[in-house]
Amino acid sequence: MERSTIVRVHEGLHARPATRFVKLAKGFESDVELVKDGKAVSAKSSVKLMLLAVKENQEVTVRANGADAIEALEALIGYLENPKAGLDDEDSQPAGNTGQEAAAAPDSVPAVSGATTGLRGVAASEGVAIGPAFAHFPPDIAGQGRMLQAQEIAGEIDRFHAAVSAVQARMDRALAQDTLSAGDRGIIAALRDIAADDSLTGEAEGLIKGGNDAVSAVITAASTIAADFSAVDDHYLNARADDVHAVGRQICLVLLGQDDVSLETIPEGAVLIADDIGAWDLARAPLKRFGGVVCGHGGATSHIAIIARSHGIPAVLGLGDQINALRTAREVALDGNSGRVIIDPDAATRAEFAGRVEAAAKERAGLTVFKTVTPKLANGKVIEVAANIGSLEEIEAAQEAGAMGVGLFRTELLFMRHMHLPSEDMQAETYAALAKAFAPYPVIVRTLDIGGDKPIAGIEFPDEENPFLGWRGIRMCLDRPDIFKRQLRALLRAAVHGNIKVMLPMVADIGEVRRTRVLVAECAAELKADGVPHAAFDLGVMIETPAAVLIAPALAKEVAFFSIGTNDLTQYIMAADRLNPTVAKLNDVTNPAVMSAIEMTAKAGVAAGIMVGMCGEAAGRPDLIATFVKMGLTEFSMSPASIQRAKKTIMAMAGESAA
Ligand code: PEP
Ligand code: MG
């Protein structure tokens, strides 16, 4: 008995929906299969379902055979067509997607070695630390490599099942803790799903039956399933391969009677040194005791970075093989803002870092009074200090810091963290939630700013020699009105709920603004015809290309505001790649060429009477804010961690001019 339907599960059957589908299927005695494009898999295995890569709006067939086949079909088809009905609202974050990925990913510095200043890696979580090194280099796990005797097999299978149960129970215990953050819970829940899945256990059991010892069987089974995930043409599913390896490792450790929880013994204030560390290990480690984290693997958006940032732990990642130099270190100093790591610092460096750590703590305590301050110049003019964020999870941190709205909402993460392009409804909900959270302050949403260097599922990017000079930002959006209009419609809908403003990235030509306006008008007309509530928004542009600076007077007549993106503006003005450490010296916002571009922009904006703001990294620099204010900038948007310091800087300006 079978029935076909169109899948309405948002983003398709990825990790959690697959698990829910399996839970439903397991409630029936019948054999149940899901069929897509002629390929049938058991509906009782979430790994197999995930590997079928069923996407939203695809047609699938549910096939059931058995006494309760009719009921099974009804329930499963019902779920595919209306996934929200009758289900509890469990956390739906998959392991690779903690919901905190956006947590103010700082600009990354690729790894290079610096002989005199120590090592350099990716500055992944801001702050400085110095402390005893805590090296964590667990040995690779290897099987016994011997074939079992026939009479040993049954016992080995029992041992294997006991190990799987122990791992599941441990994960369940971790999930039961109410101290677990939502992001950490999402990571562990997705790993538990894999541990509970028949694919991994079935594959391993088959190998044990064939005479392999349990550890070898688990290693091979995990590698086979991980390879399947890696082979799917989908970035999201590719990342699940790491999760399968992590679960396999946990099962092996139980089989070997070993434990990875050696992180439990990390001393107060120590710096964790590791080549790589699994999200599972880190999420349940005593993070409060961590002084800092230094890793060979990882980048600014890796699990480790996300967890470190969300717990306020300074981190330098991506050191590559340089990490081996730290294996025997006794003490480590690290700077999570610059990516610098110093092994066994001398007395002078130690004093420098200890001083910086103390000063940072003192400064943090002293700055909290600025949270509720509205910074004004001596003439009474309010200067807005807003937050740069990339996800709803960061709203709280921004509000806690005292953000006067959002000056840059990077929408890329919304697109990157999902398997498919986000729907209009989903985007409208996200933007509306932001608008409501900060109203009456403005929320400036930047339209999708993505290019071939950061591919996302659902958009085919051409291979480009120079992706930073290629099909990105507004260029791509205007060529893909299907994607762009969905975002613009969502923004028009969200504008009903607060003070939404919209800005366009990478603008180089006035025609780009005009063509966008035509699309906005089309979207508004469509929404009106459909009777969907919507409201107009202010349209502004980012000033981050030299062309935009040079046409700023003309642009200023066509838009409601400018926001200067100093990160890109600096790289394009100086022709110095922002990610290339060899030209880092040139990539300097204080270079007179860049400062004069900023001044030209400010002049053009002020002359036209529009707001000129800044949302690049320079906006949060206390040493530059006064200069920018004098140029005429009235809005600064930065990572929440910099907000109180910026407010203090502006208040000090008012004090100075009054004195
Ligand atoms: C900038 O370029 O300054 C900016 C704010 O945008 P992004 O860093 O996201 O490119
Ligand atoms: Mg930019």
Side-chain angles (χ1 to χ4, degrees):
M1 181 175 293
E2 61 179 50
R3 212 182 321 151
S4 299
T5 190
I6 302 291
V7 175
R8 298 298 179 201
V9 181
H10 182 56
E11 299 166 26
L13 290 183
H14 63 77
R16 299 317 299 280
T19 310
R20 288 172 176 190
F21 192 78
V22 167
K23 210 164 148 187
L24 268 181
K26 282 187 171 167
F28 299 97
E29 264 174 40
S30 301
D31 288 334
V32 193
E33 285 183 332
L34 191 69
V35 191
K36 190 192 98 178
D37 299 334
K39 186 169 176 212
V41 300
S42 164
K44 297 189 179 178
S45 159
S46 54
V47 168
K48 291 200 174 102
L49 276 184
M50 276 195 273
L51 286 169
L52 198 59
V54 174
K55 310 206 165 160
E56 190 176 1
N57 297 328
Q58 279 184 337
E59 185 173 351
V60 294
T61 302
V62 180
R63 201 178 275 161
N65 242 321
D68 50 7
I70 298 180
E71 292 85 348
L73 276 191
E74 206 141 280
L76 294 169
I77 292 280
Y79 175 73
L80 294 174
E81 290 177 350
N82 187 7
K84 284 200 178 128
L87 281 164
D88 49 352
D89 189 22
E90 284 174 39
D91 181 357
S92 62
Q93 297 287 358
N97 244 331
T98 63
Q100 296 168 43
E101 247 151 346
D107 275 357
S108 60
V109 183
V112 287
S113 61
T116 50
T117 53
L119 310 173
R120 216 168 252 275
V122 175
S125 177
E126 66 177 50
V128 284
I130 179 162
F134 185 83
H136 178 74
F137 291 88
D140 282 345
I141 292 174
Q144 296 167 357
R146 104 187 146 84
M147 291 313 272
L148 301 172
Q149 303 291 322
Q151 67 275 17
E152 291 176 295
I153 289 178
E156 192 69 346
I157 289 177
D158 288 347
R159 228 166 63 75
F160 166 68
H161 283 303
V164 172
S165 303
V167 168
Q168 286 176 8
R170 189 190 281 172
M171 291 178 172
D172 284 338
R173 275 199 303 280
L175 287 168
Q177 291 167 23
D178 23 307
T179 45
L180 211 59
S181 73
D184 297 349
R185 186 179 301 281
I187 290 171
I188 296 173
L191 295 177
R192 196 237 355 230
D193 290 344
I194 291 171
D197 194 271
D198 295 346
S199 300
L200 182 62
T201 50
E203 181 88 23
E205 196 175 321
L207 288 161
I208 301 172
K209 282 183 181 149
N212 290 278
D213 67 273
V215 172
S216 308
V218 173
I219 294 171
T220 311
S223 300
T224 308
I225 293 168
D228 287 346
F229 275 112
S230 300
V232 182
D233 184 19
D234 185 302
H235 298 296
Y236 172 87
L237 289 175
N238 299 157
R240 303 285 68 74
D242 286 346
D243 300 344
V244 175
H245 281 304
V247 171
R249 182 175 175 87
Q250 291 304 313
I251 298 171
C252 288
L253 285 168
V254 174
L255 283 165
L256 292 166
Q258 296 172 7
D259 206 343
D260 250 0
V261 287
S262 47
L263 287 177
E264 274 301 331
T265 58
I266 191 166
E268 187 73 41
V271 177
L272 173 70
I273 312 292
D275 185 29
D276 196 6
I277 172 151
W280 157 247
D281 298 310
L282 199 57
R284 68 203 169 116
L287 294 169
K288 280 209 168 69
R289 294 212 290 271
F290 281 46
V293 174
V294 178
C295 278
H297 279 76
T301 55
S302 62
H303 273 147
I304 317 169
I306 294 157
I307 294 175
R309 279 200 297 273
S310 65
H311 293 272
I313 302 167
V316 176
L317 308 178
L319 278 160
D321 289 343
Q322 297 180 97
I323 196 72
N324 291 321
L326 283 135
R327 278 176 184 263
T328 51
R330 274 165 291 123
E331 193 180 31
V332 174
L334 69 132
D335 183 339
N337 307 320
S338 67
R340 192 170 152 224
V341 177
I342 295 149
I343 306 169
D344 293 328
D346 57 19
T349 314
R350 197 185 283 157
E352 178 208 326
F353 272 78
R356 286 175 68 190
V357 169
E358 199 187 318
K362 242 195 217 147
E363 195 202 7
R364 265 198 311 278
L367 283 173
T368 51
V369 294
F370 291 94
K371 173 181 170 182
T372 51
V373 162
T374 300
K376 284 187 189 132
L377 302 181
N379 63 8
K381 171 82 195 153
V382 171
I383 303 293
E384 284 172 63
V385 180
N388 286 356
I389 62 175
S391 72
L392 298 183
E393 288 84 350
E394 290 162 84
I395 291 177
E396 207 181 313
Q399 287 176 332
E400 264 310 298
M404 300 159 71
V406 173
L408 167 62
F409 181 70
R410 290 181 164 103
T411 55
E412 297 74 71
L413 285 152
L414 201 60
F415 286 70
M416 278 159 53
R417 63 168 29 171
H418 294 289
M419 275 172 67
H420 308 292
L421 295 170
S423 66
E424 179 185 318
D425 283 353
M426 197 259 220
Q427 289 189 64
E429 265 171 44
T430 306
Y431 307 144
L434 268 176
K436 284 182 202 159
F438 288 96
Y441 286 125
V443 169
I444 303 183
V445 179
R446 176 173 75 185
T447 57
L448 184 59
D449 184 14
I450 208 124
D453 59 317
K454 267 191 234 137
I456 50 175
I459 307 177
E460 273 293 312
F461 284 92
D463 275 342
E464 294 178 312
E465 288 278 336
N466 296 301
F468 273 112
L469 301 179
W471 196 58
R472 57 183 311 120
I474 188 67
R475 304 165 185 187
M476 186 278 287
C477 283
L478 286 168
D479 286 347
R480 288 292 305 267
D482 53 326
I483 297 169
F484 198 22
K485 280 182 72 175
R486 201 188 292 183
Q487 184 169 42
L488 294 173
R489 281 171 60 105
L491 287 163
L492 286 163
R493 287 168 56 184
V496 173
H497 301 283
N499 190 356
I500 289 275
K501 300 182 184 202
V502 175
M503 71 179 169
L504 310 177
M506 295 294 299
V507 167
D509 183 275
I510 208 154
E512 290 160 343
V513 177
R514 292 180 183 154
R515 286 169 61 202
T516 301
R517 280 206 189 283
V518 171
L519 291 178
V520 173
E522 263 176 48
C523 291
E526 286 163 14
L527 289 169
K528 191 169 173 208
D530 294 344
V532 180
H534 62 284
F537 49 66
D538 275 355
L539 184 67
V541 286
M542 289 193 71
I543 301 290
E544 51 185 352
T545 66
V549 175
L550 295 172
I551 59 164
L555 270 175
K557 294 197 184 108
E558 307 233 358
V559 297
F561 63 93
F562 285 162
S563 183
I564 304 173
T566 50
N567 309 339
D568 277 319
L569 185 62
T570 307
Q571 81 163 339
Y572 293 131
I573 291 275
M574 299 304 296
D577 184 344
R578 67 194 253 190
L579 298 177
N580 183 344
T582 359
V583 293
K585 257 203 177 140
L586 276 173
N587 196 287
D588 174 9
V589 71
T590 64
N591 185 291
V594 187
M595 291 302 269
S596 108
I598 295 171
E599 193 166 19
M600 282 166 72
T601 305
K603 250 191 200 146
V606 170
I610 63 167
M611 183 196 91
V612 183
M614 179 180 283
C615 61
E617 289 301 303
R621 279 183 57 171
D623 56 328
L624 298 178
I625 287 176
T627 308
F628 296 145
V629 168
K630 284 178 198 147
M631 288 179 183
L633 273 68
T634 57
E635 186 248 17
F636 295 85
S637 191
M638 59 201 69
S639 96
S642 305
I643 286 177
Q644 291 169 2
R645 199 184 299 127
K647 285 187 173 183
K648 180 182 175 190
T649 309
I650 298 161
M651 292 306 284
M653 278 184 78
E656 274 161 28
S657 50

